[in-house]
Amino acid sequence: MVALIFVVACVVAVFALAIRRASIETWAIAAAAAALIWQTGLIDGRFHAPALGLSGLIGWLPAIVLGLLSIASLRRSWLTGPVYHGIKKALPRVSDTESQALEAGTIGFDAEIFSGRPSWERLRAVPPIVLTEEERAFLDGPTAELCAMIDDWKIRHGEREIPDEIWDFAKRHGFLGMLISKQHGGLGFSAQAQSLILGKIASRSADVVTIVMVPNSLGPGELIEKYGTDEQKHYYLPRLAKGIDVPCFSLTGPTSGSDAATMSDIGWVTRGIHDGKDVLGIRLSWDKRYITLGPKATLVGLAFHLFDPENILGKGEDIGITVALIPADHPGVNIGRRHLPSGAAFPNGPNWGKDVFIPMEWVIGGQRMAGNGWRMLMECLAAGRAISLPSSGAAGAKAMLRFTTAYGRIRKQFGLAVAKMEGLEEPLTRMIETAYVNEAGRAVTAAMVSTGEKPSVISAIMKYQSTERLRQSVNDAMDLHGGRGICDGPSNYLQSAYQMVPVGITVEGANILTRSLITFAQGALRSHPYLFAEIKACQDPDTKRGLAAFDTAFRNHISFSLSNAFGAFAHNITGGLFAPVPEKAYGTAEWYRQLGRASRNFALVADVTVAILGGGLKTRQKLTGRLADALSELYLLACTLKRYEDDGKPANDRLIVELAARNGLYRFQQAIGGTIDNFPNVFVRILLRALVFPFGRPYKPANDRLGHEVVKLAIQPGEVRDRLTREIYISRDVNDPTGLLEVTMEKVVAAEEAERKLDRAIRSGAVKRFHGIDWLADAERLGILTTAEAGQLREVEALTARVIAVDHFDPAELKPHYMKPGHNMLGAQGSADVSRPRSAAAE
Ligand SMILES: Cc1cc2nc3c(=O)[nH]c(=O)nc-3n(C[C@H](O)[C@H](O)[C@H](O)COP(=O)(O)OP(=O)(O)OC[C@H]3O[C@@H](n4cnc5c(N)ncnc54)[C@H](O)[C@@H]3O)c2cc1C
């Protein structure tokens, strides 16, 4: 019995020390104390001298080993030294561009998840949505006005252009310069305001938002604001802010897409004639494609690799990636031709040039910043990626839900609104969850950027998750609409999103790359508490200094790993009962607990994966992709809980939060379980399975009943539907296809009682509903409907007929006007433009 108590006490002590990340010295003292208590009989009060001989030595062994390892010099020669030298030898060289990408941006709540013990206070410290009066007025004023001006069909089909009046309005009101500071003539809006403005426009037109988004993200405006010379700032920023100059940013080329840093666009430092003077400059040759706004741009931001064979700049021969500003009308710049991305209308096209001379002062930041292009781009990308596509991802999901809940309520088949059919409840449930969660992630992330963060890992999560989830929402919306969503025309409000989803998926880091390579690999290096320090120490050319730094990081890393293993196991056998919950988490305490438990499991599996796979991480993309998904689910669930609190915990939203939490945890479990099941090392697989799933897989997705309850809330006009679709553009004009939906839905709901009476009469055969019969007049005559009810239904039927109508055209109207006779796909009037580089001409 005494022995049993002793063993239990030791196990408890081991758990407590491991979870509290005890130092090696503390472990040594604890092991010595345990040996002393056991060997001297202190445990049962029969004190005697410690046992000697082999058995005595075995009892003291852990204390002796740990004691010796707590002496720095011994530890370094026996343990950390050999590990350090082993890793140093095996570590692949990290290229300059890779390390610049890794060091760009900031870490924030992602590090909390990697730590396995997220600080809820840190999450709560992120401000809720706050706009200045000026920003709110802009969102409700000019932004809504711009949305009202948009005729999506005219843009996508009629003109395949953004009309001049839209460009003029956007320029006049400063939409193109929202991120440019007031000092330089821009609006100087916060990231939160920019995100909401972009979202509102995106909910109306995916084409129009693109012309606003690009100048406010990687367009050269931000690069100039942050890195430009004073002359560049004073000249270009006011022009960009007012749209006098329209920018584009050219990075991608035929051979350098995802791997943009390997571009073959080249510049040589040389002297040349500019404006009649002999000046220092760069001779450039480039070939870029897919460049948004290119065909309309007056100012081209161009990324190229700069060389200086004569070392004129004193930075060596290979200077590196450099970014310059080139007026589109500069001699030798070929620009203006258009691609046709997904049949959309926003300007996008190639540009190229051969041996074009530019003066050195056109480099952003001047000669001083030559070679710093990649770092500049990565830093701006970290913030921009957190705003632009997540804003469209959230707005798109909200708009899809708004339109689909209305149409699903209006459209009846088998005598029932299609939104009320159980089969369609499934896609609707998914859409509700996505609208809520995408918006939660958008709002929290934008608030982080507003406070000065440039969250590189979180922005990658938001980019791929919000666009991927939007893709599902658009498909779900299409399914519910049936043929009405598929047939295009002026009354189709889904096609624009359907066409543009692949663009969001592909740009700013194509999703598969972002998921499987960037999010977890970068996250593990940046957000893991010790890994980056260990790798940096291994790369330190000063071995002594490197070993000392490595020793500190490695010690902490071991405590961290032990803490995760024991902490995760403890949470998993107690169902997360003891996981920390923040104050006043009424109604959501369970989700905080499960999130804390899941974070522990994530930290454990992530840590082991990195330790075992090491340099092989880049190629094990199915594992890193799953870990990216697991990390994303935890981040988005944290944002969901925060949104619910920031919104004041509306009673009706509690079920939506529960739905999102259950599904998010279930998807987390699938991702982390999939990682463990496919782990290449069988012993690790067995160990992780025992620690993470000691009693099997605990989470189940939200059940059908919960789905039914939330759909019931969302297909009803009112506060839940309004909150789910907040801050998108909502028309109430019956001559606008989306306004017609809104108005009709309300009238359909109001006329439900009368509709039921009519349905009963039709089913009983008292009234017949066929072409050529006025069944409403019959029902009124038979006393089934009152005159007011018959009038109400007459209006509903007329509106419904318009909502479900599908456009049809004279065949001549549908001839694509970009295929005029004599044109071919290569160049103007049937001949490929021979001055183009071969790769571009061969597209
Ligand atoms: C409409 C549109 C607008 C654009 N606007 C601009 C712009 O304004 N400026 C600009 O510079 N560029 C722009 N781009 C380019 C865009 O950024 C690239 O298309 C993108 O980087 C992907 O390159 P790619 O299309 O060549 O695909 P590829 O690089 O050929 O990728 C093909 C597939 O392979 C995957 N993949 C590639 N490498 C890896 C890896 N290591 N691990 C796992 N998966 C990988 C990708 O995820 C993708 O699924 C635009 C593109 C489009 C289509």
Side-chain angles (χ1 to χ4, degrees):
M1 185 60 187
V2 170
L4 185 66
I5 294 172
F6 179 73
V7 170
V8 171
C10 283
V11 170
V12 171
V14 165
F15 267 84
L17 287 175
I19 290 172
R20 299 192 147 271
R21 296 188 194 170
S23 66
I24 193 163
E25 291 83 359
T26 313
W27 278 102
I29 292 168
L36 194 69
I37 291 168
W38 182 246
Q39 294 218 341
T40 57
L42 267 180
I43 187 128
D44 54 5
R46 280 181 274 142
F47 183 75
H48 52 76
L52 295 173
L54 188 61
S55 67
L57 190 64
I58 290 172
W60 285 92
L61 201 59
I64 294 170
V65 172
L66 288 166
L68 290 174
L69 285 180
S70 49
I71 301 166
S73 56
L74 293 182
R75 186 177 59 248
R76 285 181 197 172
S77 44
W78 293 349
L79 179 66
T80 45
V83 176
Y84 173 72
H85 292 296
I87 298 180
K88 205 172 164 69
K89 229 186 267 166
L91 201 68
R93 205 189 89 73
V94 181
S95 69
D96 285 351
T97 46
E98 270 178 301
S99 80
Q100 283 169 9
L102 275 176
E103 285 175 22
T106 55
I107 49 170
F109 194 71
D110 43 330
E112 296 292 329
I113 298 174
F114 266 94
S115 79
R117 291 192 300 190
S119 155
W120 303 130
E121 298 323 313
R122 185 160 182 188
L123 178 69
R124 284 179 165 180
V126 176
I129 296 177
V130 189
L131 297 184
T132 62
E133 267 178 40
E134 185 194 357
E135 289 166 346
R136 171 49 70 187
F138 193 87
L139 184 63
D140 296 341
T143 311
E145 250 183 276
L146 177 66
C147 290
M149 288 168 69
I150 294 169
D151 179 343
D152 182 53
W153 176 247
K154 184 173 155 202
I155 292 175
R156 282 191 300 116
H157 183 83
E159 299 192 6
R160 235 188 246 288
E161 285 262 24
I162 309 293
D164 286 346
E165 64 268 23
I166 300 260
W167 274 106
D168 292 345
F169 186 91
K171 289 176 181 177
R172 206 169 53 249
H173 286 85
F175 280 91
L176 307 193
M178 292 192 293
L179 68 62
I180 295 175
S181 60
K182 283 198 157 61
Q183 181 201 350
H184 290 115
L187 295 176
F189 281 171
S190 65
Q192 186 67 261
Q194 289 177 48
S195 162
L196 286 171
I197 293 164
L198 291 173
K200 191 167 220 154
I201 306 170
S203 70
R204 185 69 170 158
S205 164
D207 281 303
V208 175
V209 76
T210 307
I211 69 163
V212 179
M213 192 183 281
V214 169
N216 285 293
S217 62
L218 256 193
E222 188 176 10
L223 295 170
I224 301 171
E225 181 91 44
K226 293 222 166 84
Y227 308 103
T229 60
D230 285 345
E231 293 76 31
Q232 287 167 343
K233 286 182 189 169
H234 289 136
Y235 181 73
Y236 279 120
L237 290 177
R239 293 172 64 84
L240 289 168
K242 295 277 168 282
I244 299 165
D245 269 320
V246 172
C248 68
F249 190 76
S250 307
L251 176 64
T252 309
T255 55
S256 49
S258 300
D259 192 8
T262 56
M263 64 188 78
S264 46
D265 312 293
I266 190 170
W268 302 98
V269 177
T270 181
R271 298 198 72 84
I273 303 297
H274 179 70
D275 276 349
K277 289 191 207 124
D278 178 71
V279 296
L280 182 64
I282 299 169
R283 192 158 300 283
L284 275 170
S285 291
W286 76 94
D287 179 15
K288 303 287 191 184
R289 66 177 180 184
Y290 303 146
I291 308 307
T292 304
L293 300 196
K296 283 271 176 189
T298 59
L299 182 65
V300 181
L302 186 78
F304 54 92
H305 203 121
L306 184 61
F307 289 90
D308 184 8
E310 293 165 38
N311 199 13
I312 299 172
L313 304 185
K315 295 183 177 187
E317 185 183 349
D318 183 351
I319 295 193
I321 293 173
T322 301
V323 185
L325 296 166
I326 306 177
D329 58 5
H330 185 60
V333 177
N334 294 286
I335 196 162
R337 292 185 64 77
R338 292 181 62 177
H339 297 305
L340 203 51
S342 287
F346 68 90
N348 180 283
N351 66 72
W352 66 98
K354 194 164 184 316
D355 293 331
V356 176
F357 182 77
I358 63 163
M360 190 59 76
E361 76 241 28
W362 285 6
V363 169
I364 296 185
Q367 181 173 325
R368 185 177 57 87
M369 292 304 279
N372 283 310
W374 197 249
R375 187 170 60 77
M376 288 154 59
L377 290 177
M378 289 301 110
E379 281 183 2
C380 290
L381 185 67
R385 194 171 55 185
I387 299 302
S388 38
L389 290 162
S391 71
S392 300
K398 290 185 281 184
M400 289 300 107
L401 181 67
R402 186 99 194 170
F403 304 154
T404 306
T405 46
Y407 186 80
R409 204 60 204 270
I410 298 165
R411 173 68 169 166
K412 291 196 174 68
Q413 288 294 281
F414 302 96
L416 194 64
V418 293
K420 292 185 176 174
M421 295 175 179
E422 227 181 87
L424 287 162
E425 257 180 28
E426 276 192 35
L428 276 170
T429 311
R430 268 197 302 269
M431 292 176 78
I432 292 165
E433 184 189 337
T434 300
Y436 193 91
V437 174
N438 271 16
E439 168 63 8
R442 181 211 65 76
V444 176
T445 308
M448 289 171 178
V449 179
S450 291
T451 58
E453 287 190 39
K454 296 179 199 156
S456 50
V457 177
I458 288 176
S459 69
I461 291 175
M462 285 305 299
K463 191 272 155 177
Y464 93 85
Q465 283 286 339
S466 60
T467 51
E468 210 61 57
R469 290 176 189 219
L470 172 61
R471 163 148 64 183
Q472 182 64 52
S473 277
V474 175
N475 284 342
D476 286 337
M478 292 290 273
D479 286 350
L480 189 137
H481 279 74
R484 172 73 177 81
I486 291 164
C487 292
D488 207 359
S491 59
N492 191 314
Y493 40 81
L494 298 182
Q495 279 289 327
S496 160
Y498 192 71
Q499 288 175 347
M500 286 290 276
V501 155
V503 176
I505 302 274
T506 304
V507 300
E508 291 197 9
N511 277 7
I512 294 179
L513 165 96
T514 305
R515 170 182 181 254
S516 54
L517 189 70
I518 297 179
T519 305
F520 181 75
Q522 199 177 54
L525 282 175
R526 285 305 305 278
S527 319
H528 186 289
Y530 306 110
L531 200 62
F532 200 39
E534 286 165 343
I535 289 177
K536 272 190 139 175
C538 288
Q539 286 178 333
D540 194 332
D542 180 338
T543 309
K544 204 166 157 213
R545 190 178 54 199
L547 177 57
F550 183 82
D551 181 61
T552 310
F554 191 68
R555 268 179 70 168
N556 289 330
H557 193 156
I558 300 246
S559 313
F560 172 71
S561 304
L562 282 175
S563 164
N564 286 333
F566 284 88
F569 187 65
H571 279 328
N572 292 325
I573 55 174
T574 55
L577 198 65
F578 302 106
V581 172
E583 276 178 22
K584 298 188 183 149
Y586 316 121
T588 48
E590 178 58 9
W591 307 129
Y592 275 111
R593 270 192 215 101
Q594 295 309 326
L595 192 48
R597 171 188 181 185
S599 300
R600 269 288 195 193
N601 285 321
F602 173 77
L604 168 67
V605 178
D607 195 32
V608 170
T609 306
V610 169
I612 305 278
L613 298 186
L617 210 58
K618 271 190 196 168
T619 52
R620 291 287 188 165
Q621 296 190 343
K622 289 182 189 162
L623 293 186
T624 53
R626 288 191 183 97
L627 285 165
D629 290 345
L631 176 63
S632 307
E633 293 298 345
L634 300 186
Y635 177 67
L636 288 170
L637 179 50
C639 294
T640 300
L641 297 181
K642 177 161 168 54
R643 171 183 175 176
Y644 181 55
E645 289 178 7
D646 288 348
D647 288 358
K649 297 191 177 179
N652 279 331
D653 288 7
R654 197 183 51 76
L655 290 180
I656 301 172
V657 172
E658 183 183 341
L659 175 92
R662 287 192 186 284
N663 287 342
L665 287 166
Y666 177 72
R667 286 190 298 264
F668 166 80
Q669 176 177 274
Q670 282 181 308
I672 215 84
T675 310
I676 296 173
D677 292 344
N678 290 285
F679 211 84
N681 181 312
V682 67
F683 297 109
V684 177
R685 205 184 307 153
I686 292 168
L687 179 69
L688 285 179
R689 211 173 274 152
L691 291 173
V692 177
F693 301 122
F695 306 130
R697 305 195 177 193
Y699 301 120
K700 290 194 169 64
N703 62 23
D704 292 352
R705 217 183 130 68
L706 183 55
H708 175 70
E709 292 302 320
V710 297
V711 169
K712 236 168 56 185
L713 290 168
I715 60 172
Q716 196 63 28
E719 41 121 18
V720 177
R721 181 166 176 263
D722 288 347
R723 247 192 325 275
L724 276 168
T725 56
R726 70 184 181 196
E727 305 290 8
I728 61 168
Y729 178 75
I730 295 171
S731 167
R732 296 196 55 80
D733 174 1
V734 289
N735 293 315
D736 179 289
T738 61
L740 179 66
L741 269 180
E742 277 298 305
V743 173
T744 309
M745 179 199 199
E746 285 166 15
K747 293 200 186 279
V748 163
V749 171
E752 258 177 358
E753 191 44 47
E755 179 81 40
R756 262 192 291 274
K757 287 187 200 169
L758 179 67
D759 278 349
R760 271 198 300 269
I762 290 170
R763 267 202 307 275
S764 71
V767 174
K768 302 222 173 332
R769 183 155 51 188
F770 293 112
H771 287 299
I773 296 177
D774 189 347
W775 51 85
L776 290 174
D778 289 350
E780 190 185 342
R781 187 172 41 78
L782 293 169
I784 294 164
L785 296 175
T786 64
T787 308
E789 285 170 334
Q792 196 182 18
L793 286 182
R794 207 174 287 285
E795 188 187 13
V796 164
E797 287 192 356
L799 287 169
T800 301
R802 287 178 63 196
V803 167
I804 63 169
V806 166
D807 303 291
H808 41 84
F809 305 88
D810 185 286
E813 284 179 80
L814 296 181
K815 283 254 180 271
H817 53 255
Y818 51 90
M819 289 284 285
K820 297 236 173 72
H823 277 248
N824 71 11
M825 304 308 286
L826 299 176
Q829 303 303 324
S831 66
D833 185 342
V834 288
S835 66
R836 295 191 62 190
R838 273 189 48 203
S839 56
E843 269 169 41

